[in-house]
Amino acid sequence: MPTVLGDGERPAGPSGARTVRAEVLRYLILGGCKKCCVDESGIDLVGAYVSGALDLNYATAKHRINLDKCRFENAVEAMQLEAPLVSLQGSFLPGLNLQRAKIQGGVFLRNKFHATGEVSLSGAVIGGQLDCSNGRFDNALGQALNAHSVQVTGAVFLKGDFHATGKVSLSGAVIGGQLSCIKGRFEKEKGDALNAQRMRVKASFFWQGVRVDTGSINLNAASVGDLVDDMSSWPLGGRVNLDGFTYERIAGAATPTDAKTRLDWLSRGDTWKGVFFPQPYEQLAKVLGEMGHHSDRRQVLLEKETKLAAYQLQENIKLRQDLRAKRDAKPAPADHSDLCNQVGWLWFRINLIPIWTWLLRVVVGFGYAPQRAAYWAIRVITVATLFYMATYNFGGMVPSAAVVLVSDGWQASMAAAPDMPAQHWLGTDAGLHYERFSALAFAADVFIPLIDFGQESTWSATTAKGAASIGFVAYWATWFIKISGWFITALGAAAITGIIRRD
């Protein structure tokens, strides 16, 4: 049974009837003596005011330590403490140092626990849970909760009314269970509000209903099992670092997996300190593919290539500006020649490569949307069909067979209907059996390479009426459509076969 002092609530200040000296408490934690033995259940004290400094550095507690709803006058020093269990739930401390402690069971800093200085669990080994649910950790100018390289066999809870004003560090932490931050609150005026670099969570990472009022979330190279989150919990404004963050799957009934929502998420964490990182897109695409969302996977990879191309262009522009500044500084002749070559190469990369990149994105989506080539083919053939139909109706198309053009029948039609000779000739006996003109077939014949529909070999645009005629325009437009056809179909084939994609 616990020893309850006063009303059992945390005292507001010193109280004669509820005060316990830190030296006495330490003596009891270490086991007492034969005359003052400690029950096997351990120290179980509720509602005490602990005066003085409780020093448990390098100590070994024989039984569990339960000091709930207590108020400590000074910070508790317990570096490399060995104990079966530590519970300070509901207690108030100016600080707590459990650095490199070895706790066989759990550490409970929950249920209105409040620390106004650093709580350090750096390097600690905890055999059970680390539960900070509904706890308050205040150290605005430093680390509020330092759990760097902590090893927790069970779960870690930073949830409920958990509130940290100051840095929370889980960098290098190894958590055997889940990490739950549901409805937690993190804030740090400058720097990381949560630093979880290289953290390892073997089970689920819950990040839902979280508030990050100030500061950033650093998940660089962190690894978790299931990711269970919502978009409102991720701060905007470049305050998330997702570079190297990996997860096995996206779980939870309310957790979004569609590409649109996930791309919004990645946009909040793909750039850190001005540097764009494509890895978060590769990771998301990998997980979506394994979950069977193949269409969403392709959209993610397409967005990655689009953003990467834009970032590389901006970097090339900055580099060219720097090289120009060096060149204008009039360096030695040899250096000047080398700089000029570099500036020239960058001009090529800045002005021509983006055109190629743009075409790849628009025509085949960098290989992840090969259907776009078919859409472009339909568009070009449709426009070309309407254009060639107008060209024919205005007399701009003529038979391409030389024997027809020198025949008496054609010459007669030229004389009788100089503006529309083809239509007149087809209406005579001479042209009765000649292949009729089809604007759609002609457009397809021009656009699609290696397939002969028979129209281009029997009809062609005429330039006889001069540069102002529609036939003259159609003649040169045909070459443009031919080149477009070769380009679009070649890119489409490359995309379908996977030559373009960078999987």
Side-chain angles (χ1 to χ4, degrees):
M1 292 293 292
T3 300
V4 180
L5 301 183
D7 59 1
E9 296 300 318
R10 186 171 70 199
S15 173
R18 302 173 65 175
T19 298
V20 177
R21 290 188 296 116
E23 295 86 350
V24 175
L25 192 56
R26 180 181 187 277
Y27 177 76
L28 294 174
I29 289 174
L30 298 183
C33 62
K34 293 182 178 180
K35 293 183 179 180
C36 185
C37 61
V38 178
D39 186 84
E40 291 183 356
S41 62
I43 301 298
D44 199 348
L45 183 62
V46 179
Y49 179 86
V50 181
S51 64
L54 180 58
D55 185 353
L56 296 173
N57 286 333
Y58 311 102
T60 299
K62 294 183 178 180
H63 306 292
R64 62 178 184 166
I65 303 172
N66 284 351
L67 301 173
D68 299 335
K69 296 184 179 180
C70 296
R71 179 177 290 271
F72 291 79
E73 182 181 7
N74 296 298
V76 175
E77 293 292 334
M79 180 184 292
Q80 293 191 219
L81 168 70
E82 294 187 19
L85 179 144
V86 173
S87 176
L88 296 169
Q89 54 185 329
S91 294
F92 172 87
L93 304 91
L96 173 62
N97 183 5
L98 280 169
Q99 185 177 354
R100 297 195 300 276
K102 294 182 179 180
I103 311 301
Q104 299 169 14
V107 174
F108 301 96
L109 311 176
R110 63 188 181 188
N111 297 340
K112 297 184 179 181
F113 169 88
H114 189 189
T116 55
E118 179 177 340
V119 173
S120 178
L121 296 163
S122 177
V125 178
I126 301 173
Q129 298 179 349
L130 170 59
D131 192 349
C132 302
S133 303
N134 307 309
R136 176 80 185 241
F137 298 77
D138 291 327
N139 190 21
L141 300 179
Q143 300 200 71
L145 176 59
N146 180 8
H148 170 71
S149 296
V150 69
Q151 297 181 45
V152 182
T153 302
V156 174
F157 298 105
L158 309 178
K159 65 176 186 176
D161 289 330
F162 172 86
H163 185 187
T165 55
K167 183 177 182 179
V168 174
S169 177
L170 291 172
S171 62
V174 178
I175 302 171
Q178 64 176 261
L179 170 60
S180 177
C181 300
I182 297 175
K183 295 184 178 180
R185 184 177 176 185
F186 302 82
E187 53 182 313
K188 180 77 163 63
E189 191 62 32
K190 294 181 180 180
D192 294 334
L194 173 62
N195 178 11
Q197 294 185 72
R198 298 198 173 278
M199 173 186 71
R200 297 291 180 267
V201 178
K202 296 182 180 179
S204 300
F205 173 39
F206 291 90
W207 187 259
Q208 296 174 313
V210 180
R211 286 181 56 185
V212 186
D213 298 328
T214 55
S216 54
I217 304 301
N218 192 344
L219 293 172
N220 176 246
S223 174
V224 303
D226 294 344
L227 174 62
V228 186
D229 67 344
D230 58 45
M231 293 305 103
S232 62
S233 296
W234 299 100
L236 299 169
R239 293 192 287 137
V240 181
N241 183 0
L242 294 175
D243 179 41
F245 177 50
T246 59
Y247 40 94
E248 296 177 4
R249 61 193 295 269
I250 299 173
T255 305
T257 56
D258 63 286
K260 181 179 179 182
T261 304
R262 281 293 156 192
L263 286 174
D264 175 40
W265 171 56
L266 290 186
S267 69
R268 307 180 191 193
D270 60 6
T271 303
W272 187 252
K273 296 182 179 179
V275 179
F276 172 77
F277 296 103
Q279 184 275 338
Y281 291 85
E282 294 284 353
Q283 171 64 27
L284 177 60
K286 173 179 176 292
V287 172
L288 290 178
E290 291 174 349
M291 294 175 64
H293 302 286
H294 298 293
S295 176
D296 294 309
R297 169 186 173 274
R298 288 191 294 270
Q299 292 183 54
V300 170
L301 291 173
L302 171 56
E303 183 68 11
K304 180 206 71 174
E305 295 293 346
T306 302
K307 285 200 167 187
L308 184 59
Y311 173 73
Q312 290 174 340
L313 176 60
Q314 292 301 318
E315 290 298 299
N316 287 335
I317 292 174
K318 292 178 184 177
L319 181 56
R320 183 177 67 170
Q321 291 172 345
D322 293 341
L323 291 175
R324 278 181 170 177
K326 292 180 180 179
R327 183 190 63 184
D328 295 341
K330 297 181 179 180
D335 294 336
H336 186 273
S337 176
D338 182 61
L339 284 172
C340 287
N341 291 335
Q342 292 183 57
V343 171
W345 170 241
L346 282 172
W347 181 92
F348 173 79
R349 293 174 62 181
I350 292 170
N351 293 279
L352 298 183
I353 290 181
I355 297 175
W356 169 249
T357 302
W358 179 82
L359 288 172
L360 283 179
R361 178 174 63 85
V362 171
V363 177
V364 290
F366 295 106
Y368 298 108
Q371 70 277 7
R372 291 187 181 182
Y375 299 154
W376 276 107
I378 293 172
R379 293 188 189 104
V380 174
I381 291 175
T382 300
V383 173
T385 298
L386 297 175
F387 174 69
Y388 285 124
M389 185 181 298
T391 302
Y392 176 80
N393 291 334
F394 284 97
M397 302 298 297
V398 297
S400 58
V403 66
V404 173
L405 298 179
V406 297
S407 65
D408 294 337
W410 177 258
Q411 296 300 323
S413 294
M414 286 286 291
D419 293 332
M420 307 283 285
Q423 289 84 339
H424 184 276
W425 180 73
L426 289 173
T428 65
D429 291 339
L432 184 62
H433 300 289
Y434 195 78
E435 183 172 348
R436 269 23 186 188
F437 177 77
S438 169
L440 175 60
F442 188 86
D445 213 355
V446 171
F447 180 83
I448 302 174
L450 305 179
I451 298 179
D452 185 7
F453 291 93
Q455 282 286 301
E456 196 177 6
S457 60
T458 55
W459 292 91
S460 64
T462 178
T463 59
K465 297 180 182 180
S469 66
I470 190 172
F472 185 89
V473 176
Y475 175 81
W476 290 107
T478 297
W479 287 102
F480 174 78
I481 295 170
K482 278 179 176 291
I483 294 172
S484 299
W486 277 102
F487 182 80
I488 293 173
T489 54
L491 284 182
I496 291 173
T497 56
I499 295 174
I500 295 178
R501 292 194 300 271
R502 302 182 213 176
D503 290 341

CSV table of all heavy atoms in Angstrom, one decimal, residues 417-466:
chain,number,residue,atom,x,y,z
A,417,ALA,N,-11.1,24.8,-113.5
A,417,ALA,CA,-11.3,25.2,-112.0
A,417,ALA,C,-9.9,25.4,-111.4
A,417,ALA,O,-9.5,24.5,-110.6
A,417,ALA,CB,-12.1,24.1,-111.3
A,418,PRO,N,-9.3,26.5,-111.7
A,418,PRO,CA,-7.9,26.7,-111.2
A,418,PRO,C,-7.8,26.8,-109.7
A,418,PRO,O,-6.8,26.4,-109.1
A,418,PRO,CB,-7.5,28.0,-111.8
A,418,PRO,CG,-8.8,28.7,-112.2
A,418,PRO,CD,-9.7,27.6,-112.5
A,419,ASP,N,-8.9,27.2,-109.0
A,419,ASP,CA,-8.9,27.2,-107.5
A,419,ASP,C,-9.2,25.9,-106.9
A,419,ASP,O,-8.7,25.7,-105.7
A,419,ASP,CB,-9.9,28.3,-107.0
A,419,ASP,CG,-9.5,29.7,-107.4
A,419,ASP,OD1,-8.3,29.9,-107.6
A,419,ASP,OD2,-10.4,30.5,-107.6
A,420,MET,N,-9.9,25.0,-107.5
A,420,MET,CA,-10.3,23.7,-107.0
A,420,MET,C,-10.1,22.6,-108.0
A,420,MET,O,-11.0,21.9,-108.3
A,420,MET,CB,-11.7,23.7,-106.5
A,420,MET,CG,-12.1,24.9,-105.6
A,420,MET,SD,-11.6,24.6,-103.9
A,420,MET,CE,-12.8,23.4,-103.4
A,421,PRO,N,-8.8,22.5,-108.5
A,421,PRO,CA,-8.6,21.5,-109.6
A,421,PRO,C,-8.9,20.0,-109.1
A,421,PRO,O,-9.4,19.2,-109.9
A,421,PRO,CB,-7.2,21.7,-110.0
A,421,PRO,CG,-6.5,22.3,-108.8
A,421,PRO,CD,-7.6,23.1,-108.1
A,422,ALA,N,-8.5,19.7,-107.9
A,422,ALA,CA,-8.6,18.3,-107.5
A,422,ALA,C,-10.1,17.9,-107.5
A,422,ALA,O,-10.4,16.8,-107.9
A,422,ALA,CB,-8.0,18.1,-106.1
A,423,GLN,N,-10.9,18.7,-106.9
A,423,GLN,CA,-12.3,18.4,-106.8
A,423,GLN,C,-13.0,18.3,-108.2
A,423,GLN,O,-13.8,17.4,-108.4
A,423,GLN,CB,-13.1,19.4,-106.0
A,423,GLN,CG,-12.8,19.4,-104.5
A,423,GLN,CD,-11.5,20.2,-104.1
A,423,GLN,OE1,-10.7,20.4,-105.0
A,423,GLN,NE2,-11.4,20.5,-102.8
A,424,HIS,N,-12.6,19.1,-109.1
A,424,HIS,CA,-13.1,19.1,-110.5
A,424,HIS,C,-12.6,17.8,-111.2
A,424,HIS,O,-13.4,17.1,-111.8
A,424,HIS,CB,-12.6,20.3,-111.3
A,424,HIS,CG,-13.2,20.4,-112.6
A,424,HIS,ND1,-12.7,19.7,-113.7
A,424,HIS,CD2,-14.3,21.0,-113.1
A,424,HIS,CE1,-13.4,20.0,-114.8
A,424,HIS,NE2,-14.4,20.8,-114.5
A,425,TRP,N,-11.3,17.5,-111.0
A,425,TRP,CA,-10.8,16.3,-111.7
A,425,TRP,C,-11.4,15.0,-111.2
A,425,TRP,O,-11.7,14.1,-112.0
A,425,TRP,CB,-9.3,16.3,-111.5
A,425,TRP,CG,-8.6,15.2,-112.1
A,425,TRP,CD1,-8.3,15.0,-113.5
A,425,TRP,CD2,-8.0,14.0,-111.5
A,425,TRP,NE1,-7.7,13.8,-113.7
A,425,TRP,CE2,-7.5,13.2,-112.4
A,425,TRP,CE3,-8.0,13.6,-110.1
A,425,TRP,CZ2,-6.9,12.0,-112.1
A,425,TRP,CZ3,-7.4,12.4,-109.8
A,425,TRP,CH2,-6.8,11.6,-110.8
A,426,LEU,N,-11.6,14.9,-109.9
A,426,LEU,CA,-12.2,13.7,-109.3
A,426,LEU,C,-13.7,13.5,-109.8
A,426,LEU,O,-14.2,12.4,-109.8
A,426,LEU,CB,-12.3,13.8,-107.8
A,426,LEU,CG,-10.9,13.6,-107.1
A,426,LEU,CD1,-11.0,13.9,-105.6
A,426,LEU,CD2,-10.3,12.2,-107.4
A,427,GLY,N,-14.3,14.6,-110.3
A,427,GLY,CA,-15.7,14.5,-110.8
A,427,GLY,C,-15.7,14.1,-112.3
A,427,GLY,O,-16.8,13.9,-112.8
A,428,THR,N,-14.6,14.0,-112.9
A,428,THR,CA,-14.5,13.7,-114.4
A,428,THR,C,-14.2,12.2,-114.5
A,428,THR,O,-13.9,11.5,-113.5
A,428,THR,CB,-13.5,14.5,-115.1
A,428,THR,OG1,-12.2,14.1,-114.6
A,428,THR,CG2,-13.7,16.0,-114.9
A,429,ASP,N,-14.4,11.7,-115.7
A,429,ASP,CA,-14.1,10.3,-116.0
A,429,ASP,C,-12.6,10.0,-115.7
A,429,ASP,O,-12.3,8.9,-115.3
A,429,ASP,CB,-14.4,9.9,-117.4
A,429,ASP,CG,-15.9,10.0,-117.7
A,429,ASP,OD1,-16.7,9.8,-116.7
A,429,ASP,OD2,-16.3,10.1,-118.8
A,430,ALA,N,-11.7,11.0,-115.9
A,430,ALA,CA,-10.3,10.7,-115.7
A,430,ALA,C,-9.9,10.4,-114.2
A,430,ALA,O,-9.0,9.7,-113.9
A,430,ALA,CB,-9.5,12.0,-116.2
A,431,GLY,N,-10.6,11.1,-113.3
A,431,GLY,CA,-10.3,10.9,-111.9
A,431,GLY,C,-11.3,10.0,-111.2
A,431,GLY,O,-11.3,9.9,-109.9
A,432,LEU,N,-12.2,9.4,-111.9
A,432,LEU,CA,-13.2,8.6,-111.3
A,432,LEU,C,-12.7,7.4,-110.4
A,432,LEU,O,-13.2,7.1,-109.4
A,432,LEU,CB,-14.2,8.0,-112.4
A,432,LEU,CG,-15.4,7.3,-111.9
A,432,LEU,CD1,-16.3,8.2,-111.0
A,432,LEU,CD2,-16.2,6.7,-113.1
A,433,HIS,N,-11.6,6.8,-110.8
A,433,HIS,CA,-11.1,5.6,-110.1
A,433,HIS,C,-9.9,6.0,-109.3
A,433,HIS,O,-9.2,5.0,-108.8
A,433,HIS,CB,-10.7,4.5,-111.1
A,433,HIS,CG,-11.9,4.1,-112.0
A,433,HIS,ND1,-13.0,3.4,-111.4
A,433,HIS,CD2,-12.2,4.3,-113.3
A,433,HIS,CE1,-13.9,3.1,-112.4
A,433,HIS,NE2,-13.4,3.7,-113.5
A,434,TYR,N,-9.6,7.2,-109.1
A,434,TYR,CA,-8.4,7.6,-108.3
A,434,TYR,C,-8.8,7.6,-106.8
A,434,TYR,O,-10.0,7.8,-106.4
A,434,TYR,CB,-7.9,9.0,-108.6
A,434,TYR,CG,-6.5,9.3,-108.1
A,434,TYR,CD1,-5.4,8.8,-108.8
A,434,TYR,CD2,-6.4,10.1,-107.0
A,434,TYR,CE1,-4.1,9.1,-108.3
A,434,TYR,CE2,-5.1,10.4,-106.5
A,434,TYR,CZ,-4.0,9.9,-107.2
A,434,TYR,OH,-2.7,10.2,-106.7
A,435,GLU,N,-7.9,7.2,-105.9
A,435,GLU,CA,-8.2,7.1,-104.5
A,435,GLU,C,-8.7,8.5,-103.9
A,435,GLU,O,-8.0,9.5,-104.2
A,435,GLU,CB,-6.9,6.7,-103.7
A,435,GLU,CG,-7.2,6.5,-102.2
A,435,GLU,CD,-6.0,5.8,-101.5
A,435,GLU,OE1,-5.1,5.3,-102.2
A,435,GLU,OE2,-6.1,5.8,-100.3
A,436,ARG,N,-9.8,8.4,-103.3
A,436,ARG,CA,-10.4,9.7,-102.7
A,436,ARG,C,-9.5,10.2,-101.5
A,436,ARG,O,-8.9,9.4,-100.8
A,436,ARG,CB,-11.8,9.4,-102.2
A,436,ARG,CG,-12.9,9.7,-103.2
A,436,ARG,CD,-12.5,9.6,-104.6
A,436,ARG,NE,-13.6,10.0,-105.6
A,436,ARG,CZ,-13.5,9.9,-106.9
A,436,ARG,NH1,-12.4,9.4,-107.4
A,436,ARG,NH2,-14.5,10.3,-107.7
A,437,PHE,N,-9.6,11.5,-101.4
A,437,PHE,CA,-8.8,12.1,-100.3
A,437,PHE,C,-9.5,11.9,-98.9
A,437,PHE,O,-10.7,12.2,-98.9
A,437,PHE,CB,-8.6,13.6,-100.5
A,437,PHE,CG,-7.8,14.3,-99.4
A,437,PHE,CD1,-6.5,14.1,-99.3
A,437,PHE,CD2,-8.5,15.1,-98.5
A,437,PHE,CE1,-5.8,14.8,-98.3
A,437,PHE,CE2,-7.9,15.7,-97.5
A,437,PHE,CZ,-6.5,15.6,-97.4
A,438,SER,N,-8.8,11.5,-97.9
A,438,SER,CA,-9.4,11.4,-96.5
A,438,SER,C,-8.5,12.2,-95.6
A,438,SER,O,-7.3,11.8,-95.4
A,438,SER,CB,-9.4,9.9,-96.1
A,438,SER,OG,-9.7,9.8,-94.7
A,439,ALA,N,-9.0,13.2,-95.0
A,439,ALA,CA,-8.2,14.1,-94.2
A,439,ALA,C,-7.7,13.3,-93.0
A,439,ALA,O,-6.5,13.5,-92.5
A,439,ALA,CB,-9.0,15.3,-93.7
A,440,LEU,N,-8.5,12.4,-92.4
A,440,LEU,CA,-8.1,11.7,-91.2
A,440,LEU,C,-7.0,10.7,-91.6
A,440,LEU,O,-5.9,10.6,-90.9
A,440,LEU,CB,-9.3,10.9,-90.6
A,440,LEU,CG,-8.9,10.0,-89.4
A,440,LEU,CD1,-8.3,10.7,-88.3
A,440,LEU,CD2,-10.2,9.2,-89.0
A,441,ALA,N,-7.1,10.0,-92.7
A,441,ALA,CA,-6.1,9.0,-93.1
A,441,ALA,C,-4.8,9.7,-93.5
A,441,ALA,O,-3.7,9.2,-93.2
A,441,ALA,CB,-6.7,8.1,-94.2
A,442,PHE,N,-5.0,10.9,-94.1
A,442,PHE,CA,-3.8,11.6,-94.5
A,442,PHE,C,-3.0,12.1,-93.3
A,442,PHE,O,-1.8,12.0,-93.2
A,442,PHE,CB,-4.1,12.8,-95.4
A,442,PHE,CG,-2.9,13.5,-96.0
A,442,PHE,CD1,-2.4,13.0,-97.2
A,442,PHE,CD2,-2.4,14.6,-95.4
A,442,PHE,CE1,-1.3,13.7,-97.8
A,442,PHE,CE2,-1.3,15.2,-95.9
A,442,PHE,CZ,-0.7,14.7,-97.1
A,443,ALA,N,-3.7,12.6,-92.3
A,443,ALA,CA,-3.1,13.1,-91.1
A,443,ALA,C,-2.4,11.9,-90.3
A,443,ALA,O,-1.3,12.1,-89.9
A,443,ALA,CB,-4.1,13.7,-90.2
A,444,ALA,N,-3.1,10.8,-90.3
A,444,ALA,CA,-2.5,9.6,-89.6
A,444,ALA,C,-1.2,9.1,-90.4
A,444,ALA,O,-0.2,8.7,-89.8
A,444,ALA,CB,-3.5,8.5,-89.5
A,445,ASP,N,-1.3,9.2,-91.7
A,445,ASP,CA,-0.2,8.7,-92.6
A,445,ASP,C,1.0,9.6,-92.4
A,445,ASP,O,2.1,9.1,-92.3
A,445,ASP,CB,-0.6,8.8,-94.0
A,445,ASP,CG,0.0,7.7,-94.9
A,445,ASP,OD1,0.8,7.0,-94.3
A,445,ASP,OD2,-0.3,7.5,-96.0
A,446,VAL,N,0.8,10.9,-92.2
A,446,VAL,CA,1.9,11.8,-92.0
A,446,VAL,C,2.5,11.7,-90.6
A,446,VAL,O,3.7,11.7,-90.4
A,446,VAL,CB,1.4,13.3,-92.2
A,446,VAL,CG1,2.5,14.3,-91.8
A,446,VAL,CG2,1.1,13.5,-93.7
A,447,PHE,N,1.6,11.5,-89.6
A,447,PHE,CA,2.1,11.5,-88.2
A,447,PHE,C,2.7,10.2,-87.8
A,447,PHE,O,3.7,10.2,-87.1
A,447,PHE,CB,0.9,11.8,-87.3
A,447,PHE,CG,1.2,11.9,-85.8
A,447,PHE,CD1,1.8,13.0,-85.2
A,447,PHE,CD2,1.0,10.7,-85.0
A,447,PHE,CE1,2.1,13.0,-83.9
A,447,PHE,CE2,1.4,10.8,-83.7
A,447,PHE,CZ,1.9,11.9,-83.1
A,448,ILE,N,2.1,9.1,-88.1
A,448,ILE,CA,2.5,7.8,-87.7
A,448,ILE,C,3.6,7.3,-88.6
A,448,ILE,O,3.4,7.0,-89.7
A,448,ILE,CB,1.4,6.8,-87.6
A,448,ILE,CG1,0.3,7.4,-86.6
A,448,ILE,CG2,1.9,5.5,-87.0
A,448,ILE,CD1,-1.0,6.5,-86.6
A,449,PRO,N,4.8,7.1,-88.1
A,449,PRO,CA,5.9,6.6,-88.9
A,449,PRO,C,5.8,5.1,-89.1
A,449,PRO,O,5.2,4.4,-88.3
A,449,PRO,CB,7.2,6.9,-88.1
A,449,PRO,CG,6.7,7.0,-86.7
A,449,PRO,CD,5.3,7.5,-86.7
A,450,LEU,N,6.4,4.6,-90.2
A,450,LEU,CA,6.5,3.1,-90.4
A,450,LEU,C,5.2,2.5,-90.8
A,450,LEU,O,5.2,1.2,-91.0
A,450,LEU,CB,7.1,2.4,-89.2
A,450,LEU,CG,8.5,2.9,-88.7
A,450,LEU,CD1,9.0,2.1,-87.5
A,450,LEU,CD2,9.5,2.9,-89.9
A,451,ILE,N,4.1,3.2,-90.8
A,451,ILE,CA,2.8,2.6,-91.2
A,451,ILE,C,2.3,3.5,-92.4
A,451,ILE,O,2.2,4.7,-92.4
A,451,ILE,CB,1.8,2.7,-90.1
A,451,ILE,CG1,2.3,1.8,-88.9
A,451,ILE,CG2,0.4,2.2,-90.6
A,451,ILE,CD1,1.3,1.8,-87.8
A,452,ASP,N,2.0,2.8,-93.5
A,452,ASP,CA,1.5,3.4,-94.8
A,452,ASP,C,0.0,3.2,-95.0
A,452,ASP,O,-0.4,2.1,-95.1
A,452,ASP,CB,2.3,2.9,-96.0
A,452,ASP,CG,2.0,3.6,-97.3
A,452,ASP,OD1,1.3,4.6,-97.2
A,452,ASP,OD2,2.5,3.2,-98.3
A,453,PHE,N,-0.7,4.3,-94.9
A,453,PHE,CA,-2.1,4.3,-95.1
A,453,PHE,C,-2.5,4.5,-96.5
A,453,PHE,O,-3.7,4.6,-96.9
A,453,PHE,CB,-2.9,5.3,-94.2
A,453,PHE,CG,-2.8,4.9,-92.7
A,453,PHE,CD1,-1.8,5.4,-91.9
A,453,PHE,CD2,-3.7,4.1,-92.2
A,453,PHE,CE1,-1.7,5.1,-90.6
A,453,PHE,CE2,-3.7,3.8,-90.8
A,453,PHE,CZ,-2.7,4.3,-90.0
A,454,GLY,N,-1.5,4.8,-97.4
A,454,GLY,CA,-1.7,5.0,-98.8
A,454,GLY,C,-2.1,6.4,-99.2
A,454,GLY,O,-2.2,6.7,-100.4
A,455,GLN,N,-2.3,7.3,-98.3
A,455,GLN,CA,-2.8,8.7,-98.6
A,455,GLN,C,-1.6,9.6,-99.0
A,455,GLN,O,-1.7,10.3,-99.9
A,455,GLN,CB,-3.5,9.3,-97.4
A,455,GLN,CG,-4.9,8.8,-97.2
A,455,GLN,CD,-5.9,9.4,-98.3
A,455,GLN,OE1,-6.0,10.6,-98.4
A,455,GLN,NE2,-6.5,8.5,-99.1
A,456,GLU,N,-0.5,9.5,-98.2
A,456,GLU,CA,0.6,10.4,-98.5
A,456,GLU,C,1.3,10.1,-99.8
A,456,GLU,O,1.9,11.0,-100.5
A,456,GLU,CB,1.6,10.3,-97.4
A,456,GLU,CG,2.6,11.4,-97.4
A,456,GLU,CD,3.6,11.4,-96.2
A,456,GLU,OE1,3.6,10.4,-95.5
A,456,GLU,OE2,4.4,12.3,-96.1
A,457,SER,N,1.1,8.8,-100.3
A,457,SER,CA,1.7,8.5,-101.6
A,457,SER,C,0.8,8.9,-102.8
A,457,SER,O,1.3,8.9,-103.9
A,457,SER,CB,2.0,7.0,-101.7
A,457,SER,OG,0.8,6.2,-101.5
A,458,THR,N,-0.4,9.2,-102.5
A,458,THR,CA,-1.3,9.6,-103.6
A,458,THR,C,-1.8,11.1,-103.5
A,458,THR,O,-2.3,11.6,-104.5
A,458,THR,CB,-2.6,8.7,-103.5
A,458,THR,OG1,-3.2,8.8,-102.2
A,458,THR,CG2,-2.3,7.3,-103.8
A,459,TRP,N,-1.6,11.8,-102.4
A,459,TRP,CA,-1.9,13.2,-102.3
A,459,TRP,C,-0.8,14.0,-101.6
A,459,TRP,O,0.0,13.4,-100.8
A,459,TRP,CB,-3.2,13.3,-101.4
A,459,TRP,CG,-4.4,12.8,-102.1
A,459,TRP,CD1,-4.9,11.5,-102.0
A,459,TRP,CD2,-5.3,13.5,-103.0
A,459,TRP,NE1,-6.1,11.4,-102.7
A,459,TRP,CE2,-6.3,12.6,-103.4
A,459,TRP,CE3,-5.3,14.8,-103.5
A,459,TRP,CZ2,-7.3,12.9,-104.3
A,459,TRP,CZ3,-6.3,15.1,-104.4
A,459,TRP,CH2,-7.3,14.2,-104.7
A,460,SER,N,-0.8,15.2,-101.9
A,460,SER,CA,0.2,16.1,-101.3
A,460,SER,C,-0.3,17.6,-101.4
A,460,SER,O,-1.1,17.9,-102.2
A,460,SER,CB,1.6,16.0,-102.0
A,460,SER,OG,1.5,16.4,-103.4
A,461,ALA,N,0.3,18.4,-100.5
A,461,ALA,CA,0.0,19.8,-100.5
A,461,ALA,C,0.7,20.5,-101.6
A,461,ALA,O,1.9,20.2,-101.9
A,461,ALA,CB,0.3,20.4,-99.2
A,462,THR,N,0.1,21.4,-102.3
A,462,THR,CA,0.7,22.1,-103.4
A,462,THR,C,1.2,23.5,-103.0
A,462,THR,O,0.5,24.2,-102.2
A,462,THR,CB,-0.3,22.3,-104.6
A,462,THR,OG1,0.3,23.0,-105.6
A,462,THR,CG2,-1.6,23.0,-104.1
A,463,THR,N,2.3,23.9,-103.6
A,463,THR,CA,2.9,25.2,-103.3
A,463,THR,C,2.8,26.1,-104.6
A,463,THR,O,3.4,27.2,-104.6
A,463,THR,CB,4.4,25.1,-102.9
A,463,THR,OG1,5.1,24.4,-103.9
A,463,THR,CG2,4.5,24.3,-101.6
A,464,ALA,N,2.0,25.6,-105.5
A,464,ALA,CA,2.0,26.3,-106.8
A,464,ALA,C,1.4,27.7,-106.7
A,464,ALA,O,1.7,28.6,-107.6
A,464,ALA,CB,1.2,25.5,-107.8
A,465,LYS,N,0.6,27.9,-105.7
A,465,LYS,CA,-0.1,29.2,-105.6
A,465,LYS,C,0.7,30.2,-104.8
A,465,LYS,O,0.1,31.3,-104.5
A,465,LYS,CB,-1.5,29.0,-105.0
A,465,LYS,CG,-2.4,28.1,-105.8
A,465,LYS,CD,-3.8,28.0,-105.2
A,465,LYS,CE,-4.7,27.1,-106.0
A,465,LYS,NZ,-6.0,26.9,-105.5
A,466,GLY,N,1.9,29.9,-104.4
A,466,GLY,CA,2.7,30.9,-103.7
A,466,GLY,C,2.7,30.8,-102.2
A,466,GLY,O,1.9,30.0,-101.6
